[in-house]
Amino acid sequence: MQSVNWVALAVFAALFAFIAWLGLAAARWRRGDLDLLHEWGLGGRRFGTLVTWFLVGGDLYTAYTFIAVPALAFGAGAMAFFAVPYTILAYPIFFMVFPRIWRVCHKHDYITIGDFVRGRFGNRWLALAITVTGIVATMPYIALQLVGLQVVIGGLGISGAGVAGSLPLLIAFVILAVFTHSSGLRAPASIAIVKDILIYATTLAAIVYIPIRLGGFGHIFSAVSADKLLLATPAAHSTGSFSAYATLALGSALALFLYPHAITGVLSASSGRAIRRNAALLPCYSLLLGLLVLMGFFAIAAGVAHRPEYAAGFRLFGNSFSVPALLLQLLPSWFVGVAFAAIGIGALVPAAIMSIAAANLYARNIHREFVNQHPTDRQEAGIAKWAALLIKLGALAFVLFVPTDYAIYLQLLGGIWIIQTLPAVMIGAFTRWLNDWALLAGWAVGTVAGTMM
């Protein structure tokens, strides 16, 4: 690995210290009793249009998104652009369905999607299936945020075996655990504002400055091989890469807002109107995502994969190291620190929301339903806080002791699993006509068949 970039590291550490303070201070923002689950886990349901926009955007556009999508363009080419239409397809679905879900949950004081399904269909086992699916699908997602953070830390020149190599990740984990436990959803909501400002500033600056350094967009695209600029032409009597692109985009769009962390962001909004406004505003992130995909092509044109100082990074992290290597090669050291901090903070925000969402599900739909049916408000919030810590510990153990490929495979499986909840959640938002046992059977068959395929 390249030597430690001390200027970038200093800027990175300063920004991380600031967001650690902000996360702790968030407990006093829109003050509420954090021993109540709806205050700790949903921010008191008081977030308006702007805060919800930052929260949901920070929730969906994660550190791993900013690392993995350009890395896919770097390695596989045009297939990476599926991310742009899939987010565009997702927002009309969001506009039509989720204000309705918010209204039902607000009326009946539901905190999780498990509460929603239990209330709509009256079947605790169907609600348990939805709950377990949400928690299991979320766990590898949290792990991949920590993987994204690990890539950035490696890009700063900090690496190695044993405790010394893992120490920065452990410090980041402690920061995440402390502010999540103390401030609940208010912490990632406040930090998401900083994170998104940094991400937008970094992306817009890089998309202008890097092409100038590389000789313009014409030179960049001429450096990318033809097989990466376009999808492969299907063979006769086959749809090949075209159907793969289309189904990947459609399936991802249908699954996106079914994840517990996305629904938690929705339920924290102050009104259905705030959600509808967000459906109109969130496509701004799709524009950002389209620009980020181009970073993979920039990395190809910069030739980072062939530079010896980055060889160790590519050995450790594969194509995921392409963006850090690109930024290290072409940006000033102080701006590298800003960019890496933006990506690192982009790991903490969704990881916090994901752990809170999964903890809410456990406290409400497993512990309350099957362990202690009459907890006090304080006990219920306490269970959720400790569950959030255990979930983060599980994700950290996954990163430290399990090969990264397994987390990626499980996250891909998570998309297959979470989409099995669509009939109960999205169709259930508009009708109770569906049979609850048929929904449970469909969930089981879909989960088994999707996993086998």
Side-chain angles (χ1 to χ4, degrees), residues 12 109 111 117 129 268 275 277 318 336:
F12 178 88
D109 200 30
I111 291 176
V117 171
S268 69
I275 297 167
R277 285 177 172 174
V336 170

Side-chain angles (χ1 to χ4, degrees), residues 124-350:
R124 69 195 305 215
W125 300 107
L126 176 61
L128 178 64
I130 301 299
T131 297
V132 170
T133 302
I135 293 173
V136 173
T138 299
M139 283 288 290
Y141 225 144
I142 301 173
L144 287 179
Q145 304 318 307
L146 299 180
V147 169
L149 183 58
Q150 200 173 34
V151 173
V152 167
I153 291 170
L156 290 169
I158 303 171
S159 63
V163 176
S166 302
L167 186 59
L169 188 62
L170 294 172
I171 293 171
F173 170 82
V174 170
I175 292 170
L176 171 64
V178 169
F179 71 60
T180 302
H181 192 87
S182 66
S183 303
L185 196 66
R186 287 170 171 81
S190 59
I191 294 169
I193 298 171
V194 177
K195 169 251 183 186
D196 283 357
I197 290 171
L198 291 176
I199 284 289
Y200 270 98
T202 299
T203 304
L204 293 175
I207 211 75
V208 173
Y209 181 74
I210 291 177
I212 293 172
R213 290 286 308 273
L214 292 176
F217 280 96
H219 181 267
I220 290 169
F221 285 113
S222 67
V224 180
S225 59
D227 62 317
K228 288 186 176 180
L229 287 175
L230 298 171
L231 294 176
T233 303
H237 310 297
S238 168
T239 55
S241 61
F242 291 2
S243 63
Y245 183 94
T247 55
L248 187 57
L250 179 60
S252 300
L254 291 172
L256 182 63
F257 286 102
L258 292 170
Y259 279 100
H261 50 281
I263 292 173
T264 295
V266 168
L267 297 185
S268 69
S270 60
S271 68
R273 187 180 183 187
I275 297 167
R276 287 191 296 273
R277 285 177 172 174
N278 268 273
L281 292 171
L282 281 167
C284 294
Y285 284 100
S286 298
L287 172 63
L288 182 72
L289 194 56
L291 298 177
L292 280 168
V293 179
L294 291 176
M295 302 277 276
F297 289 168
F298 293 176
I300 293 173
V304 294
H306 307 296
R307 296 181 69 92
E309 63 267 36
Y310 305 132
F314 278 98
R315 259 197 320 274
L316 281 172
F317 305 115
N319 289 341
S320 294
F321 197 68
S322 57
V323 169
L326 173 72
L327 300 178
L328 284 164
Q329 181 176 332
L330 295 176
L331 295 179
S333 292
W334 68 270
F335 199 77
V336 170
V338 173
F340 282 13
I343 298 171
I345 296 167
L348 295 192
V349 170

Side-chain angles (χ1 to χ4, degrees), residues 368-450:
R368 185 181 183 126
E369 190 72 44
F370 296 97
V371 180
N372 178 7
Q373 296 185 356
H374 304 287
T376 65
D377 291 339
R378 189 180 186 88
Q379 286 174 333
E380 186 176 56
I383 288 294
K385 291 176 184 179
W386 285 109
L389 178 61
L390 291 174
I391 288 163
K392 286 191 283 287
L393 277 171
L396 180 66
F398 213 103
V399 173
L400 294 179
F401 303 113
V402 177
T404 302
D405 284 352
Y406 287 104
I408 295 170
Y409 297 149
L410 282 175
Q411 195 271 329
L412 294 173
L413 269 174
I416 294 170
W417 295 332
I418 204 69
I419 206 169
Q420 308 310 320
T421 67
L422 186 151
V425 175
M426 288 194 184
I427 300 175
F430 298 98
T431 179
R432 299 186 187 191
W433 178 81
L434 299 175
N435 180 275
D436 51 317
W437 292 108
L439 286 169
L440 184 58
W443 166 85
V445 171
T447 299
V448 172

